[in-house]
Structures are given as structure tokens and as C-alpha cells.
Amino acid sequence: VQLQASGGGLVQAGGSLRLSCAASGRTFSDYFMGWFRQAPGKEREFVGGVNWSGGSTDYADFVEGRFTVSRDNVKNTVYLQMNSLKPDDTASYYCAAGYGGNYASDKDYLYWGQGTLVTVSS
């Protein structure tokens, strides 16, 4: 499956962004989807994930209720709604697809999109 992330940009602290990740090539609903991020000089980290139907999600502790992962299996797209953004959220954000396992483990994802850069100014 091919993944194309979009929606990044520059936003002030406290603002919101919605990232999108469009999938193509295979049956989107076969995959659970995750969002990861990587800040300069830091390791990639898990942000949030959603199961095949969209009925179950999981988030990293640092999200603290500010982000929401959702999916539309008709549009073959997964979203990351980010609210109350902080400068520490500045990173490239990546979407990924896998068949199953631990949302937070990047080893359980088979396909990765290119990153979309989010910059949060203070």
C-alpha cells in the first residue's frame, strides 16, 4: 500500500492542525494505522493509532487528550487531528500501516508514508 501524508505546516502554540494520510494500492480496511513523529535529533516516537474499523484507538501519554486519530474507510484516509499544539510537538509526522500487533511498535508496521512537517511556534 502507498501512503501519502499531508496537512503539515506552521502554527502558533495553542493552535490546531489536521493531518491526512491517503492510502492507495490495497484494501485500506485490511490495515491498522498509526501516526509517528520524529523531531530533529530525536528518535521516532509513536503518536496514536487506530484499528481496522476505526472503533479502537490508542495514544502516547504525551498526547494528553489533545490529538484524535480517525479513519474513513470509504475515502481510504486516516487523520490526525491535533489541538492545543505545543512547541514540543514540532516534528515530521509519519503515517504507517500494518496488519496487526502493538500500535506503539514501529516494527509492527509494514508500510510508511513520507513525513509531513509540523512546526509550532511559541
Side-chain angles (χ1 to χ4, degrees):
V1 64
Q2 291 79 45
L3 302 174
Q4 180 75 36
S6 62
L10 175 64
V11 63
Q12 288 188 331
S16 298
L17 278 177
R18 188 176 80 157
L19 306 183
S20 300
C21 175
S24 61
R26 289 184 179 264
T27 305
F28 180 64
S29 58
D30 285 348
Y31 300 94
F32 77 123
M33 301 296 296
W35 285 96
F36 289 74
R37 70 184 188 183
Q38 187 168 21
K42 295 187 177 181
E43 293 187 354
R44 184 168 59 191
E45 62 180 350
F46 171 70
V47 176
V50 61
N51 74 341
W52 302 265
S53 69
S56 176
T57 55
D58 190 25
Y59 298 94
D61 289 343
F62 67 77
V63 169
E64 298 176 324
R66 300 179 297 128
F67 298 175
T68 302
V69 180
S70 62
R71 67 189 295 160
D72 185 332
N73 286 346
V74 174
K75 295 182 178 180
N76 292 345
T77 302
V78 63
Y79 304 98
L80 178 65
Q81 175 67 44
M82 302 187 293
N83 300 325
S84 302
L85 283 161
K86 306 174 182 179
D88 285 349
D89 295 318
T90 294
S92 289
Y93 284 71
Y94 300 85
C95 58
Y99 282 121
N102 180 357
Y103 286 124
S105 172
D106 58 4
K107 296 178 176 57
D108 285 337
Y109 292 86
L110 299 174
Y111 305 100
W112 292 82
Q114 91 295 351
T116 185
L117 180 62
V118 173
T119 304
V120 184
S121 63
S122 57

